[in-house]
Amino acid sequence: MRSARRLLLLVAASTTVLLSAAPALAQAQFQPSDPWAHATSDIPADTNVRFGVLPNGMQYAILRNATPAGQASFRLRIDAGSLMENEDQLGLAHFMEHMAFNGTTNIPENDLLRILERLGLAFGADTNAFTSFDQTAYLLELPRTNDETVDAALRIMREQVSEALMAADAVDDERGVIEGEERMRNTPQLRIAKAQFGLLASGQRLANRLPIGNLDIIRTAPRERFVEFYNAYYRPNRATFIAVGDFDVEVMEGKVRAAFEGWTPKAADGPDPDLGQVAQRGPETRVLVEPGIQSSVDINWIRPPDLDPDTVAERRENLIQNLGLAVLTRRLGELARADNPPFVSASASNASVFDSRSAGSVSANFNPGGLTRALQTIEQEQRRLVQFGITQAELQREITDNRTRLQNAVTAAATRSTPALANGLLGAVNEGDVFASPATSLALFNATVEGLTPDQVTAAVRPVFEGQGPVVLVTSPVAIEGGEAAVTAALEASRQVAVTARADEAALEWPYTDFGTPAQPSARTEIADLGVTRVDFPNGVRLFVKPTEFRDNQILVSVRTGIGELALPTDRVTAMAFANSVMGPGGTSKLTVDQLTRVLSGKTYSVNAGIDTDAYTLGGATKPEDLQLEMQVLTAYLVDPGLRAAPFERARSQFPAQLAQFRATPGGVLGRDLGELISSGDQRDAMPTEEEIAAMSIEEIRAGVTEGRSRGPIDIVMVGDVTVDAAIATVANTFGALPDRGAQAEPLPGSDVRRFPAPTAEPVQLKHEGPGEQAIGLIGWPTTDAIDDKQEARQLAILNAVVQLRLNEEVREKLGISYGPGSAAASSPVFPDYGYLLMLAETRPENLPVLFTAFDSIAASLRDTPISDDELLRARAPAVESLRRSQADNGYWVSQLAEAGRKPGTFDEIRSNVSDLESVTPADIQRLARQYLTADKAWRLTITSDNPAAPAAAAAAAAPAQ
């Protein structure tokens, strides 16, 4: 059994690469460290990919894809991660990734990101990197594929992997940033993950190689140690370059060769590590207690890793096994969604982890106090499947759903997303998989399931639950009464319970086909320059249709009605805080969510139901042949909702544990309290207390949702692979056939007003329960709304981008006191005169005064001195390019058209979006800073812990990469 990541790529992304230039391998002077998987596989690779190997051993894969048009994604992978580190290098693979952005032979330290920003790439969103156990990857999202942008990107990536300076002073400056990253990521979840690695990979290298490493080494490692790792592993024969986008493949190949052919190794190749053997072990139980963690239990059967190459036979074996695991996971999910469920969620899996070990697992998350029931349920359900197998109906459902997904991928292959394809190629290289076309993946699937029987699937699943152990891991925020002995006893007691075969499921039919007499449109209006058609129906339904060619076989639908939270009081929390947990998961009155998935197996549909500030919302995604069904589903959710008690009780039962999880980190406290604080106590944005939750009832939600969605026009937006006539026809016999909706309700008095809090002489102080060295400082200013004229709100977005540049330079780079300082700007489309701009950062508590001084200094400098044209370009260009990229996506148009029925100025706002951003000047930025970022309007917040802070020089836990 191969890794879960490999299986995801197999079923969902179909990822491998074609050897279309095999002679290049024969002529190569150096062999790649990980040759292309298809070279020795019987799986045909995607013929659209241009494959090559340079004489120095560097591999490349180039694929033309015009979705979105004029853009490209670059990936540069180094076949080395934290597993390659020596004991005195722990953390340097990740540190080296940071240093690749901090100056090279021909690009000064501060220029690399600035070059990319001028070209429209934002740091983080378009310019990023990550380090894992087994690879380091550099990622660029290019907004244009002209020579200037492509040549600059290739030059920078080449410099990063072959010419990094690692100047001693730059290394020293970056140590604080790495420490800040470790501190920010030192969460209960990470501490538990680290402990689990140590337990499940006991005695193996994997147990002690989380990428963040050892802070003592990070703080003290000399430059020479960085150089040693860099020269040993940043080598052309360990590199793979991936380019996907809207370009000429021949031209791109020539540019890649020109950029990288001259790269030569500077030292001997670093050794591949000895990963160690899976330790011999018998049954074992371990309890890990960590305040703020989700309670969970995992039963693991551990085996040596599956290192078999990617072949037709291997994929067949994995696919059959995963069909069985999908059946078990579905059974567990149905139990989680039942009345009085034994756990919050549960699943079954089988995965190989970084070529070190494999493990079959059955797992559950539960509420505190529910361990025994959760453990015994997953044990018995796993045993039920092993003993009695799966049914033909269950197997057919998984086959049908998987086949539908693969067929949809084939139909949409020509308009796949460029970043997704680049990531798929990157994953294929790392996993040693063949990058197959969607058609090949479908053919392999069909060949595998032809004549497949439930007994064959059951036989394939049984070995998943065999191996060493089982090792039972329990995580809990509180001590488990009786400890590990009690857990073992509960497991043994469960094993004594006889299980029986699963009962057959009753046949179901789809009951929602008639909503009344189909309506004829009363008006039709073309907005030709935007490609939008408005259609009005007599009952108050307003339909906006935009056919696009962005994604083959994709139609997005949005439905809005009512006034949402404007009908709720502002001075108290109500049960409507849980409405989103009920409206979608509640299904319809005739069918539960699980029954919906059964009766609609093989159909492409989805439902998102919620309450927004000023509307109730429904949404979904489908394909042309299922559009009628999608509209029936959404209409049924509106007029015949389930609003069942089970999802409400499930959400309510989880909330006390979630509140404890919020308290465990400063970020959790920020997420819990910030909405209420910056709305001056508006209880619609408040997090309920345990007492308030206990007093809530499902009846209040039912009454509120029913009343809130019963009146007012219905606005429907359809965007994608749809014709206007098809959209009209499917609305006419669903939403259009409903009775007249009547006039819109009026907001409750005062509910349409929101205010930013008054300025504070001293910061508002909040507390978290996590490590004492973790703190957050935040400053905010009131701004304006985006209701009628959005131009100033858009100018504020550029001001926010300038602020982010200043934070990166001042707080992260110069001061080195925070890994990820951030800024945020919002202008309300609902509440007049309400908006804000925030600066915030995580840091050590003793650094908070320095942090606030930096915040104030940034604001003052923006007020006092016009920014340079270059800084404006570096802030504005990524924002403009991000917007242009969004405009080539169906999701953008759904969101932009959502208010078109209520706000006549919507179309003009869409038209002016890009020009409003492009017209921002340095004078506009200074004017806005003088108007809004003033000392007398500033509101401040700190979040600190009462726990003692560890000394700044102490070693700390490991964390994921950048």
Side-chain angles (χ1 to χ4, degrees):
M1 179 62 204
R2 310 173 79 212
S3 77
R5 291 177 297 163
R6 294 180 182 182
L7 293 171
L8 180 61
L9 293 171
L10 162 66
V11 177
S14 308
T15 56
T16 47
V17 178
L18 171 69
L19 176 56
S20 62
L25 270 176
Q27 299 167 4
Q29 297 174 11
F30 297 93
Q31 290 297 316
S33 58
D34 285 332
W36 299 99
H38 53 267
T40 57
S41 176
D42 55 354
I43 299 173
D46 191 330
T47 56
N48 293 309
V49 179
R50 172 74 59 86
F51 168 86
V53 180
L54 300 181
N56 59 13
M58 176 175 159
Q59 299 180 131
Y60 61 84
I62 302 174
L63 173 62
R64 184 182 185 280
N65 187 70
T67 310
Q71 299 173 27
S73 296
F74 285 1
R75 307 288 185 262
L76 182 51
R77 175 185 181 270
I78 300 296
D79 184 26
S82 58
L83 287 171
M84 282 68 175
E85 297 166 344
N86 296 327
E87 291 300 320
D88 64 353
Q89 294 177 326
L90 300 183
L92 296 198
H94 170 231
F95 204 146
M96 188 58 249
E97 170 220 313
H98 279 240
M99 294 310 302
F101 289 90
N102 280 274
T104 66
T105 301
N106 300 298
I107 305 175
E109 178 179 354
N110 294 324
D111 283 4
L112 189 151
L113 289 176
R114 292 179 179 181
I115 292 170
L116 295 172
E117 287 164 351
R118 294 178 190 119
L119 294 171
L121 284 78
F123 177 58
D126 307 312
T127 305
N128 216 325
F130 68 85
T131 305
S132 184
F133 290 90
D134 54 358
Q135 68 172 332
T136 305
Y138 297 86
L139 299 74
L140 292 180
E141 299 297 337
L142 276 57
R144 302 177 189 275
T145 52
N146 56 12
D147 287 343
E148 179 188 13
T149 304
V150 170
D151 293 347
L154 289 172
R155 179 170 70 94
I156 285 171
M157 298 185 99
R158 163 64 194 277
E159 289 267 328
Q160 287 181 301
V161 296
S162 68
E163 302 295 329
L165 290 178
M166 294 167 283
D169 59 345
V171 170
D172 288 340
D173 289 343
E174 196 70 15
R175 297 185 201 272
V177 175
I178 302 289
E179 183 177 352
E181 181 175 357
E182 185 280 335
R183 185 178 58 245
M184 184 184 72
R185 299 188 189 279
N186 184 18
T187 62
Q189 293 75 21
L190 182 67
R191 293 191 289 273
I192 284 294
K194 182 184 179 185
Q196 290 174 331
F197 268 108
L199 290 171
L200 295 178
S202 178
Q204 294 183 283
R205 196 177 187 89
L206 185 65
N208 188 37
R209 285 297 188 282
L210 269 78
I212 200 68
N214 183 305
L215 282 187
D216 283 341
I217 293 174
I218 289 167
R219 294 186 179 110
T220 61
R223 176 183 182 275
E224 292 72 25
R225 212 172 294 169
F226 290 83
V227 174
E228 177 186 353
F229 184 89
Y230 186 69
N231 289 343
Y233 292 103
Y234 277 61
R235 305 164 49 82
N237 66 302
R238 285 185 173 271
T240 303
F241 182 81
I242 295 165
V244 180
D246 190 7
F247 46 66
D248 182 279
V249 171
E250 296 289 342
V251 172
M252 182 61 69
E253 183 177 33
K255 288 181 178 292
V256 172
R257 286 184 171 275
F260 290 99
E261 273 184 333
W263 180 16
T264 58
K266 297 178 180 178
D269 197 355
D272 287 327
D274 179 359
L275 301 179
Q277 301 297 312
V278 173
Q280 295 294 318
R281 62 204 309 170
E284 185 178 350
T285 301
R286 297 297 296 270
V287 175
L288 305 174
V289 178
E290 179 69 47
I293 198 67
Q294 166 71 57
S295 299
S296 66
V297 57
D298 305 82
I299 308 175
N300 303 280
W301 291 263
I302 301 173
R303 304 180 304 279
D306 180 359
L307 303 179
D308 293 340
D310 188 18
T311 63
V312 170
E314 179 76 359
R315 289 201 184 188
R316 174 182 169 81
E317 177 185 338
N318 294 340
L319 175 58
I320 294 173
Q321 191 175 85
N322 275 277
L323 288 171
L325 291 172
V327 169
L328 179 53
T329 294
R330 192 186 292 267
R331 290 181 181 181
L332 294 170
E334 290 175 354
L335 289 171
R337 291 182 289 272
D339 293 335
N340 190 26
F343 34 63
V344 172
S345 61
S347 63
S349 65
N350 188 35
S352 287
V353 182
F354 298 108
D355 291 342
S356 296
R357 64 168 175 83
S358 293
S361 303
V362 58
S363 310
N365 294 327
F366 58 90
N367 293 322
L371 170 60
T372 298
R373 189 169 173 227
L375 172 62
Q376 295 184 345
T377 301
I378 61 174
E379 187 279 328
Q380 290 169 27
E381 285 303 315
Q382 174 267 322
R383 191 154 40 90
R384 189 191 317 279
L385 184 134
V386 168
Q387 288 185 19
F388 296 100
I390 68 173
T391 68
Q392 181 63 48
E394 289 177 314
L395 173 58
Q396 190 56 51
R397 189 191 315 173
E398 302 305 332
I399 289 175
T400 299
D401 288 350
N402 276 278
R403 179 181 284 126
T404 299
R405 184 163 56 251
L406 291 168
Q407 288 172 335
N408 289 345
V410 171
T411 306
T415 54
R416 287 174 289 177
S417 160
T418 285
L421 282 166
N423 291 336
L425 280 162
L426 179 65
V429 175
N430 193 56
E431 298 292 349
D433 285 338
V434 182
F435 188 80
S437 69
T440 294
S441 294
L442 176 60
L444 290 174
F445 176 85
N446 284 333
T448 297
V449 301
E450 180 69 27
L452 188 65
T453 67
D455 288 345
Q456 289 175 305
V457 176
T458 303
V461 171
R462 288 189 176 114
V464 172
F465 306 112
E466 298 171 355
Q468 299 187 48
V471 177
V472 179
L473 290 183
V474 175
T475 66
S476 175
V478 296
I480 299 297
E481 184 176 356
E484 291 163 354
V487 177
T488 301
L491 179 62
E492 289 302 318
S494 180
R495 287 171 173 161
Q496 304 309 310
V497 176
V499 294
T500 58
R502 182 179 172 89
D504 291 337
E505 298 172 334
L508 294 170
E509 293 185 359
W510 177 240
Y512 297 105
T513 58
D514 186 358
F515 296 96
T517 302
Q520 294 298 315
S522 55
R524 175 169 171 162
T525 308
E526 306 293 331
I527 303 92
D529 63 317
L530 297 179
V532 175
T533 299
R534 171 175 174 160
V535 182
D536 291 86
F537 289 85
N539 65 347
V541 170
R542 299 177 293 222
L543 169 66
F544 298 86
V545 188
K546 180 175 174 60
T548 72
E549 297 179 353
F550 302 143
R551 295 280 191 276
D552 290 342
N553 220 36
Q554 182 194 70
I555 304 171
L556 301 185
V557 182
S558 167
V559 181
R560 293 170 63 85
T561 192
I563 61 172
E565 292 179 347
L566 293 178
L568 302 181
T570 63
D571 59 350
R572 62 184 177 87
V573 173
T574 71
M576 291 298 289
F578 281 87
N580 287 342
S581 301
V582 174
M583 287 187 287
T588 71
S589 71
K590 296 182 176 68
L591 297 170
T592 67
V593 166
D594 292 312
Q595 289 171 332
L596 277 165
T597 61
R598 282 171 50 198
V599 73
L600 300 180
S601 178
K603 302 295 184 180
T604 301
Y605 77 100
S606 62
V607 181
N608 298 305
I611 180 172
D612 206 347
T613 304
D614 61 345
Y616 284 85
T617 63
L618 289 164
T622 187
K623 60 186 179 183
E625 67 186 81
D626 288 334
L627 177 59
Q628 180 68 73
L629 172 66
E630 175 71 33
M631 300 310 293
Q632 291 173 348
V633 172
L634 295 178
T635 308
Y637 262 81
L638 178 68
V639 301
D640 193 31
L643 303 180
R644 289 178 166 81
F648 169 68
E649 295 298 342
R650 182 166 62 249
R652 183 164 66 166
S653 71
Q654 297 171 33
F655 216 73
Q658 292 171 351
L659 290 175
Q661 291 165 33
F662 287 137
R663 295 192 296 267
T665 64
V669 171
L670 185 72
R672 182 193 67 191
D673 292 349
L674 185 62
E676 179 182 2
L677 289 170
I678 63 173
S679 64
S680 297
D682 190 329
Q683 293 300 287
R684 293 171 298 182
D685 271 8
M687 189 73 68
T689 65
E690 291 191 38
E691 294 75 18
E692 288 170 331
I693 295 166
M696 294 176 181
S697 70
I698 185 62
E699 286 76 17
E700 185 179 359
I701 295 177
R702 288 169 175 161
V705 171
T706 301
E707 171 61 25
R709 301 200 304 190
S710 66
R711 57 185 293 198
I714 298 175
D715 290 314
I716 302 172
V717 177
M718 278 192 206
V719 179
D721 191 2
V722 63
T723 66
V724 175
D725 288 343
I728 293 173
T730 57
V731 171
N733 59 26
T734 53
F735 289 98
L738 300 177
D740 186 276
R741 299 281 299 172
Q744 192 77 279
E746 292 296 325
L748 285 183
S751 68
D752 54 354
V753 176
R754 181 163 288 179
R755 292 286 179 262
F756 194 78
T760 52
E762 295 293 329
V764 175
Q765 298 182 20
L766 301 177
K767 293 293 182 179
H768 69 93
E769 297 175 357
E773 60 270 22
Q774 295 178 338
I776 285 178
L778 180 149
I779 187 171
W781 296 267
T783 58
T784 191
D785 63 67
I787 296 176
D788 294 322
D789 183 359
K790 289 190 175 182
Q791 183 176 25
E792 185 158 300
R794 289 164 176 168
Q795 293 173 340
L796 284 164
I798 302 301
L799 171 60
N800 179 64
V802 174
V803 169
Q804 183 64 63
L805 293 179
R806 297 282 179 99
L807 288 170
N808 290 342
E809 294 171 1
E810 298 295 327
V811 176
R812 174 176 165 133
E813 299 302 329
K814 291 184 180 178
L815 295 174
I817 60 174
S818 178
Y819 165 67
S823 62
S827 296
S828 174
V830 176
F831 301 111
D833 301 321
Y834 183 73
Y836 52 82
L837 190 149
L838 309 176
M839 301 184 204
L840 69 158
E842 188 279 336
T843 191
R844 291 183 64 89
E846 63 266 28
N847 290 334
L848 285 171
V850 177
L851 180 65
F852 279 109
T853 297
F855 289 161
D856 290 334
S857 176
I858 290 171
S861 67
L862 291 171
R863 294 193 305 265
D864 297 342
T865 307
I867 66 172
S868 67
D869 289 337
D870 180 68
E871 187 173 22
L872 176 60
L873 175 64
R874 293 189 293 113
R876 185 179 59 196
V880 171
E881 296 303 339
S882 176
L883 174 58
R884 285 189 170 130
R885 184 182 303 135
S886 296
Q887 288 177 330
D889 184 79
N890 291 329
Y892 168 85
W893 290 97
V894 167
S895 65
Q896 292 294 304
L897 294 170
E899 295 287 347
R902 302 186 185 195
K903 297 183 178 180
T906 295
F907 300 124
D908 286 337
E909 291 173 354
I910 294 173
R911 294 183 182 103
S912 65
N913 207 343
V914 172
S915 61
D916 280 349
L917 296 181
E918 290 181 327
S919 64
V920 176
T921 66
D924 291 327
I925 298 300
Q926 186 175 27
R927 172 181 56 80
L928 293 171
R930 287 176 171 175
Q931 181 177 354
Y932 296 115
L933 305 187
T934 61
D936 62 330
K937 297 178 182 177
W939 178 82
R940 301 167 193 268
L941 169 72
T942 63
I943 306 175
T944 57
S945 174
D946 286 328
N947 295 321
Q962 179 179 5

